[in-house]
Amino acid sequence: MSNNDLAIIILAAGKGTRLKSSLAKVLHRAGGRTLIEQIVRACEPLKARETVVVVGHQAEQVAAVVEPLGAVTVLQQPQNGTGHAMNVAKRALGRAKYAVVLPGDAPLVRTETLKVLAAAHRSGNAAATILSAVLADPSGYGRVVRKTETAVSAIVEESQLTEEEREINEINSAIYCFTLEKLWPALAQVKPNNRHRELYLTDAIAVLNSKGETVLAQVAADAREVLGCNTRVDLAEVDRVFRERKRNALMDDGVTIQLPETVLIDPEVTAGEDTILEPAVQLLGKTKIGARCTIRTGSVLTDAILGDDVTVEPHCVVAQSRLDDRVIIGPFARLRPDNHVKAGARIGNFVELKKSTIGEGTKAMHLSYLGDAKIGTKSNIGAGTITCNYDGFHKYPTSIGNKVFVGSDTTLVAPVRLGDGAYVAAGSTITENVPADALGVARGRQVNKPRWAAKKRRELAAAEKPRKASSKRKPRRASKKRKR
Ligand code: UD1
Ligand code: MG
């Protein structure tokens, strides 16, 4: 259903002084996105005729977030309050009859709740319908003053509460639906009667009431949906709720999450059935995980693409890399961007990969750096193998074929190529290509000197004797005296 008579107005010009930040409030992040992006996305399914975002502080950066999502922006400069912000928004509005108005700092609101609000407004024939919530601790919020069970007489800001009103625990979420032809004249009568000399949108409610217009308040089913982000503590709480929603959605899709409250998952992440996430895992960016994978504790995956049956052992860091079916990595593996680890391959502890392709069934199990390397299938990369891919000026590739055996502690000075079936002796520094099926050995030849060690020990013992005898003759009284 398209809502051709409806506009969305998001007030996002404020600085957010209480966050104590150089970043505008709506550009702070919760649940893996900026606050303003979360709100615009929640409004999208309403299919309003237009979405107007009032910008002020760091207007360009805010516009850069919302304009690609289809919103238009209008500049409020200076920021003289939420009522003033609405007057600024009016300039950019087309011919909508109704507007859903939201603050830029209450990102948890759900599309469904906004739909219910708009429907209640229409069916109640109201001039304004407020989304309210009942909170155990209403401090910091404007309070909804009701004159009857259904109708509202005013919203009173925290700073202007009487003792009696302070007891009210129904708060204004700052999310409303307005009938615009009724709102504008009421807003015109509002005066900046407060300490900050700002024009408060909330004061328009009392004006509407005094004109005999209908003002309703719809109580949100879940009070957590209206949490505002005025402080860092609020931000943390809002982030927590978003993260919980995401984890619950994945669990509903068949993913097991152990100690879920310790697991952080970004909104665009997907995971297949019977995948297990152990405690303290982070799945970030556009990470996509197949079915039956296990991501073990302490691992952080960013923009990673995993096939099915992949195991990520504890404490791995993976960025922008692909792991195909049945791959096992870690513990303590680090995959920097642009790797492709093919089916059944294994990357072990303290192995770092960068821009490398690891062929099917290939193993690099211990203590290696493989950068700009292309490795074929079923090869074995010994412990401590290093690709020397950088000469201080440029990066060079290493190419390793199929069924290659690279002995431990090999350095491969790139550019260099090991042919299929080649064998590299442990401890080699390979500077030239090794042909297919050849042995490459590049190290000093071993020489054994018979009885050398025994002779050396005798010499050392003889040199030690006189020294020991002379040290016995001098008792170390001096140090004892010094102690007193
Ligand atoms: C506001 C409400 C309060 C409500 C609370 C819910 C007012 C006067 N008060 O208070 O009743 O309980 O939200 O979270 O509206 N903004 C502008 N231009 C301005 C001032 C603000 O665009 O000149 C924007 C801010 O960027 C913010 C939103 O309006 O996104 C709300 O402003 P904020 O300062 O957070 O108001 P609260 O004190 O939270
Ligand atoms: Mg606020």
Side-chain angles (χ1 to χ4, degrees):
M1 184 189 80
S2 117
N3 278 308
N4 209 28
D5 55 356
L6 181 74
I8 307 281
I9 302 173
I10 302 173
L11 310 183
K15 178 167 188 288
T17 314
R18 289 163 281 182
L19 283 179
K20 301 193 174 130
S21 173
S22 58
L23 191 66
K25 172 155 68 177
V26 298
L27 293 174
H28 279 260
R29 300 175 81 84
R33 292 187 176 125
T34 58
L35 303 184
I36 189 68
E37 180 176 351
Q38 296 281 20
I39 293 164
V40 174
R41 282 179 183 277
C43 293
E44 246 166 19
L46 292 182
K47 296 203 171 68
R49 55 179 295 139
E50 61 205 332
T51 299
V52 176
V53 180
V54 181
V55 295
H57 271 279
Q58 295 173 351
E60 270 174 40
Q61 291 96 310
V62 178
V65 175
V66 301
E67 284 173 0
L69 297 170
V72 297
T73 56
V74 52
L75 187 67
Q76 184 197 16
Q77 202 70 271
Q79 293 84 36
N80 286 335
T82 46
H84 175 239
M86 281 298 287
N87 284 329
V88 171
K90 189 179 176 187
R91 278 190 246 138
L93 276 185
R95 281 179 305 175
K97 185 166 180 219
Y98 305 106
V100 169
V101 176
L102 306 97
D105 66 344
L108 284 167
V109 69
R110 268 194 276 231
T111 307
E112 216 26 63
T113 305
L114 297 175
K115 283 184 179 165
V116 171
L117 177 75
H121 181 82
R122 285 173 199 263
S123 67
N125 230 341
T129 305
I130 303 158
L131 180 68
S132 70
V134 176
L135 298 186
D137 175 12
S139 57
Y141 290 94
R143 310 293 207 280
V144 175
V145 182
R146 288 183 182 258
K147 57 178 185 185
T148 69
E149 200 137 298
T150 50
V152 173
S153 58
I155 295 173
V156 183
E157 288 305 299
E158 167 102 354
S159 56
Q160 289 159 337
L161 291 170
T162 62
E163 271 314 303
E164 217 172 292
E165 287 163 342
R166 204 167 283 279
E167 300 298 310
I168 299 173
N169 60 2
E170 182 177 6
I171 61 106
N172 167 32
S173 69
I175 299 169
Y176 325 81
C177 190
F178 289 109
T179 300
L180 290 169
E181 62 180 8
K182 305 220 161 137
L183 174 68
W184 301 128
L187 196 54
Q189 291 180 28
V190 169
K191 301 266 158 8
N193 285 334
N194 53 69
R195 188 157 50 93
H196 298 104
R197 311 228 31 85
E198 287 185 353
L199 222 53
Y200 286 170
L201 174 58
T202 44
D203 288 345
I205 298 297
V207 177
L208 285 168
N209 177 58
S210 69
K211 290 179 162 201
E213 299 290 353
T214 306
V215 180
L216 303 173
Q218 177 91 9
V219 183
D222 180 357
R224 298 192 309 178
E225 266 190 60
V226 307
L227 289 176
C229 293
N230 295 318
T231 65
R232 303 267 177 174
V233 171
D234 295 339
L235 261 183
E237 178 60 16
V238 165
D239 183 63
R240 205 181 59 74
V241 176
F242 271 122
R243 302 298 183 178
E244 183 182 312
R245 281 185 191 171
K246 178 66 190 180
R247 291 188 305 256
N248 289 349
L250 282 187
M251 289 194 272
D252 286 345
D253 288 347
V255 176
T256 292
I257 306 183
Q258 299 170 350
L259 295 186
E261 60 283 9
T262 69
V263 173
L264 197 85
I265 307 174
D266 274 353
E268 288 177 49
V269 171
T270 62
E273 278 180 20
D274 293 316
T275 279
I276 299 170
L277 308 179
E278 287 192 354
V281 160
Q282 296 193 15
L283 304 179
L284 308 177
K286 295 184 190 318
T287 292
K288 293 195 174 4
I289 296 178
R292 299 175 303 280
C293 294
T294 301
I295 315 298
R296 303 201 51 202
T297 188
S299 292
V300 180
L301 278 56
T302 308
D303 300 326
I305 311 287
L306 275 58
D308 297 333
D309 302 291
V310 173
T311 302
V312 176
E313 296 285 6
H315 304 291
C316 292
V317 178
V318 178
Q320 292 151 43
S321 290
R322 244 174 85 183
L323 311 183
D324 290 348
D325 296 352
R326 300 181 311 285
V327 160
I328 304 175
I329 67 165
F332 301 104
R334 179 176 183 209
L335 276 61
R336 290 163 52 204
D338 298 331
N339 301 291
H340 184 182
V341 183
K342 296 190 176 172
R346 295 196 58 181
I347 301 298
N349 39 257
F350 307 108
V351 174
E352 174 181 343
L353 303 186
K354 189 220 77 176
K355 263 195 193 168
S356 289
T357 301
I358 311 296
E360 286 180 24
T362 286
K363 294 178 181 176
M365 294 299 287
H366 331 269
L367 301 156
S368 286
Y369 170 60
L370 302 171
D372 304 306
K374 200 165 182 320
I375 306 178
T377 61
K378 294 189 176 145
S379 286
N380 188 89
I381 308 299
T385 297
I386 306 290
T387 53
C388 309
N389 62 328
Y390 184 50
D391 62 4
F393 295 95
H394 299 106
K395 303 277 167 69
Y396 301 95
T398 298
S399 167
I400 300 176
N402 302 324
K403 294 188 178 169
V404 173
F405 182 93
V406 179
S408 296
D409 197 23
T410 292
T411 53
L412 299 164
V413 182
V416 73
R417 175 182 291 270
L418 311 181
D420 289 346
Y423 198 106
V424 176
S428 290
T429 297
I430 298 294
T431 54
E432 285 164 36
N433 295 346
V434 180
D437 293 320
L439 166 71
V441 49
R443 63 189 186 209
R445 214 168 237 296
Q446 183 171 334
V447 178
N448 289 344
K449 300 188 174 176
R451 291 181 301 283
W452 182 94
K455 189 175 152 222
K456 186 75 185 173
R457 276 195 294 273
R458 277 199 304 276
E459 284 171 13
L460 288 174
E464 272 295 291
K465 249 183 208 163
R467 247 198 269 165
K468 274 190 183 165
S470 65
S471 65
K472 262 182 198 165
R473 256 179 265 131
K474 280 188 188 163
R476 299 177 66 189
R477 287 243 175 87
S479 66
K480 274 191 181 171
K481 268 186 192 163
R482 231 181 285 136
K483 268 191 182 166
R484 285 182 199 153

